[in-house]
Amino acid sequence: MVLIYIDQDEQEIKKASFEAISYGATIAKQLGTTAEALLLGTVKNNLADLGKWGANKVHHVNNIVLNSFDARVNATVVAETAKSLGATVLIFAHNLNGRAIAPAVAVKLGAGIVTGACALPKTDAGFVVTKTVFSGKAFASIEISTPIKVISINQNSFGTVISDAIATVHELAVAVPSSTLKITSVHKIQGEVPLTEASLVVSGGRGLKGPEHWGVLLDLAKALGASTACSRPVSDADWRPHHEHVGQTGIQIAPNLYIAIGISGAIQHLAGVNRSKTIVVINKDGEAPFFKAADYGVVGDAFEVVPALTAAILKSKSNA
Amino acid sequence: MKILVCISKTPDTTTKIAFTEGNTKLDENGVQWIINPYDEWYSLVKAIELKEKDASVTIHLITVGGADTEPIIRKALALGGDEAIRVNNNSNDSFIVAQEIAAIAKEGSYDLILTGKETIDYNSASIGSMLCALLDQNFISAAVKLDLNGNTLQVVREIDGGEETGELNFPAIISCQKGMAEQRIPNMRGIMAARTKPLKVVEASVTNATTHIKNFELPPAKSGVKLIDPDNMDELVRLLKEEAKVI
Ligand SMILES: Cc1cc2nc3c(=O)[nH]c(=O)nc-3n(C[C@H](O)[C@H](O)[C@H](O)COP(=O)(O)OP(=O)(O)OC[C@H]3O[C@@H](n4cnc5c(N)ncnc54)[C@H](O)[C@@H]3O)c2cc1C
């Protein structure tokens, strides 16, 4: 059986978990077995609906204590449940909570693990999972040789498969170890799609010359409904917040569209964004290395090109 | 307080990645080796900051790797840290590495274990979480801030779309990232002192790998950029809609 961990935040199931379900369900089909989801804590979502993304069953540990995330506690509960249900493959989203517990669960199950997978495993001979390595500069195919396998799947790398199926919901009583971690506050950035979940991203570099010039970029992001990112020197100089820093030492993203404005395309920057499906580069220097990694390029001054692009997008939206 | 800082050796960030032996091994020709940036900039410097505030703090560094990791360990010792341990195991299986670290951690009864958020080579982001299971200790991942208040640790971690603050006691395992500390450059005194700091070598004790790398692959090259006239942004919008189908 393939068991998929459902991550929640403030009683809402995370977007990354829907993708994890579809990924796990596709593996289950490949192996001729069932796909079963596991949710800890209480959520507002209707659990039977998880059938839509491919879960045959949803196991629910309905304990309010589990609404706040404690890696040690969650990993213990997931491992105990996986053992008692006889799961042979476990799937996690490779988001922040998934990263925190998937390796611990693997240890508790004596299972081999591949984190940050970016494709379905090959299961015809052995069990081989492809993941990104060198922060996006290459891929590695890794064989897991233990009876139980654990995979965390990179966000936006598989997508979702939707049907109108309905899952059966099973309430589970599991002993929950007591937590010795006290969450004292949560701070959310209001009204923004987290960068790792965004399908459209507009990103700015040192070419924008200062935080006071970010307006043109923000207008474009607003017109598109895109999230915003930046290069490392920009966040180092506090022109933009740290969580926007993408690249080898920032976050790695794979949106459908990445628009780079005034970014030269250093190897460390490309590592974080080169899995984007479509890359648009706007740079006044036609020799900028980023153009080699781009699908579409505009050689021109960002302060003229970006407002013109924003206007063209708004025009095409009002015509639609 | 005793702190154990996990140090990993990785290729320099400017490395152009290539493979040899039928794409089964990294081509190490011309590769410069560095301390994994997350280990160096954030976990090690954070440990040093804690020691600067409280001289009774002891910092031990641990690396799991062959003799070729020693220049990296000396560089880390030049930044700070009292002594280092190298477990002579060349494995790149996270499970093996974590078990080697856990064995040393149990013996040394550390109050705090710091790791980087991930290494920039295999990007497994696994060691801290694995130590959490192996040692049954609290684990906070992707931490951006750590303050000490008597025996209570106040840690801020990144969550999807924000930050969360938690309080916990020792012992604890924390994986560190940007925000935790500021990068430092070793000075001459540190470099001289590092030469004589103890570096203990411990033989490998774990060998049963759970995974192995079959081969590597480079991403396909882009087919070539399509340049668009800066005065014709309607054309770019059309291409994004009709050709790329992304908006
Ligand atoms: C260990 C290490 C790790 C690193 N990790 C990262 C990382 O994770 N992410 C990252 O981004 N970087 C990282 N870097 C830094 C990286 O090497 C580059 O220095 C950085 O990406 C450059 O940022 P930039 O493109 O914004 O600035 P620049 O390289 O200064 O480029 C600015 C660009 O803007 C263009 N420009 C100027 N004016 C205009 C205008 N009016 N209109 C249009 N274009 C204009 C210029 O032609 C130029 O191409 C790392 C470096 C090191 C050493």
Side-chain angles (χ1 to χ4, degrees):
Chain A
M1 179 263 280
V2 176
L3 188 66
I4 303 125
Y5 174 80
I6 305 300
D7 193 22
Q8 62 137 317
D9 182 31
E10 297 182 327
Q11 304 199 40
E12 297 278 357
I13 292 176
K14 297 249 188 88
K15 186 182 165 200
S17 293
F18 298 119
E19 184 178 23
I21 297 174
S22 289
Y23 179 72
T26 311
I27 298 174
K29 278 210 192 88
Q30 218 170 290
L31 297 171
T33 182
T34 53
E36 308 186 8
L38 171 62
L39 171 77
L40 312 189
T42 54
V43 291
K44 294 175 194 140
N45 308 62
N46 178 354
L47 295 184
D49 283 352
L50 296 182
K52 245 169 97 173
W53 288 272
N56 304 108
K57 283 185 191 174
V58 180
H59 301 281
H60 183 205
V61 184
N62 191 356
N63 186 330
I64 198 153
V65 171
L66 294 167
N67 285 7
S68 71
F69 182 85
D70 177 334
R72 189 180 60 90
V73 170
N74 281 43
T76 306
V77 174
V78 174
E80 288 309 316
T81 312
K83 267 186 219 161
S84 69
L85 296 172
T88 51
V89 177
L90 280 86
I91 305 297
F92 295 81
H94 194 56
N95 65 350
L96 284 147
N97 287 348
R99 284 171 206 223
I101 61 168
V105 171
V107 164
K108 286 173 186 285
L109 298 174
I113 177 169
V114 172
T115 57
C118 56
L120 286 168
K122 292 194 188 75
T123 52
D124 40 351
F127 195 99
V128 179
V129 189
T130 302
K131 70 163 291 182
T132 49
V133 288
F134 299 103
S135 308
K137 289 180 190 170
F139 301 101
S141 294
I142 300 179
E143 171 145 44
I144 305 181
S145 48
T146 49
I148 301 179
K149 283 102 180 155
V150 180
I151 305 175
S152 69
I153 168 84
N154 258 338
Q155 283 170 266
N156 278 343
S157 60
F158 183 74
T160 51
V161 184
I162 293 178
S163 73
D164 46 20
I166 291 170
T168 56
V169 180
H170 304 254
E171 297 294 333
L172 285 183
V174 181
V176 177
S178 58
S179 173
T180 50
L181 166 69
K182 195 170 109 209
I183 305 301
T184 53
S185 71
V186 175
H187 171 75
K188 279 285 175 64
I189 301 140
Q190 291 304 321
E192 261 181 57
V193 179
L195 209 39
T196 46
E197 289 182 8
S199 51
L200 307 174
V201 174
V202 179
S203 186
R206 205 145 52 179
L208 285 176
K209 304 205 170 58
E212 67 279 15
H213 297 136
W214 238 256
V216 286
L217 184 151
L218 297 176
D219 288 344
L220 174 60
K222 197 166 159 225
L224 280 168
S227 294
T228 51
C230 68
S231 68
R232 176 166 165 229
V234 165
S235 76
D236 278 355
D238 283 328
W239 294 0
R240 296 296 298 169
H242 286 325
H243 66 258
E244 286 197 359
H245 161 195
V246 293
Q248 193 162 6
T249 52
I251 55 173
Q252 284 102 50
I253 55 173
N256 291 336
L257 175 63
Y258 183 76
I259 303 184
I261 304 169
I263 303 176
S264 58
I267 188 166
Q268 297 99 343
H269 185 87
L270 294 181
V273 302
N274 63 9
R275 288 184 304 114
S276 308
K277 294 197 178 74
T278 299
I279 295 179
V280 175
V281 169
I282 300 171
N283 197 305
K284 70 171 184 192
D285 173 9
E287 301 292 309
F290 217 146
F291 284 113
K292 290 204 178 69
D295 300 283
Y296 303 105
V298 185
V299 181
D301 187 329
F303 298 104
E304 289 160 20
V305 173
V306 177
L309 177 57
T310 306
I313 285 163
L314 292 175
K315 189 172 86 188
S316 99
K317 280 199 170 162
S318 67
N319 289 346
Chain B
M1 177 175 43
K2 280 182 78 179
I3 308 178
L4 184 65
V5 180
C6 304
I7 299 286
S8 179
K9 174 188 122 188
T10 57
D12 179 79
T13 57
T14 56
T15 309
K16 235 184 140 213
I17 299 295
F19 301 102
T20 59
E21 296 180 30
N23 282 332
T24 58
K25 275 192 80 175
L26 176 70
D27 183 355
E28 299 191 359
N29 239 321
V31 172
Q32 299 273 352
W33 297 97
I34 59 167
I35 308 170
N36 177 44
Y38 290 104
D39 304 346
E40 177 187 340
W41 302 349
Y42 310 121
S43 3
L44 178 55
V45 176
K46 186 71 217 183
I48 295 167
E49 283 177 3
L50 291 171
K51 192 180 167 88
E52 284 166 352
K53 281 196 198 127
D54 173 0
S56 72
V57 169
T58 330
I59 304 174
H60 289 179
L61 314 182
I62 182 164
T63 292
V64 178
D68 59 350
T69 58
E70 292 199 357
I72 295 304
I73 305 174
R74 290 286 172 205
K75 190 182 164 210
L77 284 171
L79 281 161
D82 300 296
E83 51 186 272
I85 304 151
R86 174 171 74 81
V87 182
N88 192 26
N89 191 331
N90 253 321
S91 174
N92 53 25
D93 181 282
S94 304
F95 202 165
I96 290 186
V97 172
Q99 288 176 78
E100 295 286 15
I101 296 173
I104 300 290
K106 274 183 190 150
E107 216 171 282
S109 37
Y110 294 92
D111 301 292
L112 186 61
I113 302 178
L114 299 180
T115 74
K117 180 183 87 163
E118 63 183 18
T119 58
I120 61 164
D121 50 6
Y122 297 106
N123 308 108
S124 293
S126 294
I127 300 299
S129 176
M130 287 183 168
L131 290 174
C132 161
L134 291 165
L135 301 170
D136 192 28
Q137 292 179 7
N138 275 324
F139 170 53
I140 307 288
S141 67
V144 296
K145 195 164 184 281
L146 185 165
D147 289 310
L148 196 57
N149 196 340
N151 262 337
T152 307
L153 286 164
Q154 193 177 60
V155 187
V156 183
R157 72 163 180 130
E158 186 190 353
I159 56 175
D160 296 306
E163 290 179 350
E164 179 184 85
T165 308
E167 282 180 4
L168 63 159
N169 292 324
F170 294 126
I173 304 151
I174 317 266
S175 82
C176 307
Q177 64 161 334
K178 194 164 184 171
M180 192 54 120
E182 293 287 338
Q183 181 181 7
R184 292 188 183 185
I185 294 171
N187 57 29
M188 213 46 200
R189 227 178 85 214
I191 295 168
M192 298 303 285
R195 291 194 187 152
T196 52
K197 284 182 183 171
L199 195 171
K200 190 168 97 185
V201 179
V202 177
E203 274 321 308
S205 61
V206 193
T207 48
N208 49 330
T210 54
T211 60
H212 77 271
I213 297 177
K214 295 198 67 142
N215 64 281
F216 293 101
E217 218 179 302
L218 292 171
K222 289 266 178 189
S223 54
V225 59
K226 211 176 245 184
L227 288 179
I228 290 119
D229 180 352
D231 293 324
N232 192 359
M233 286 300 101
D234 289 336
E235 173 64 2
L236 178 56
V237 172
R238 188 191 68 77
L239 288 167
L240 292 176
K241 269 190 157 164
E242 293 168 17
E243 193 177 72
K245 299 190 173 68
V246 289
I247 60 172

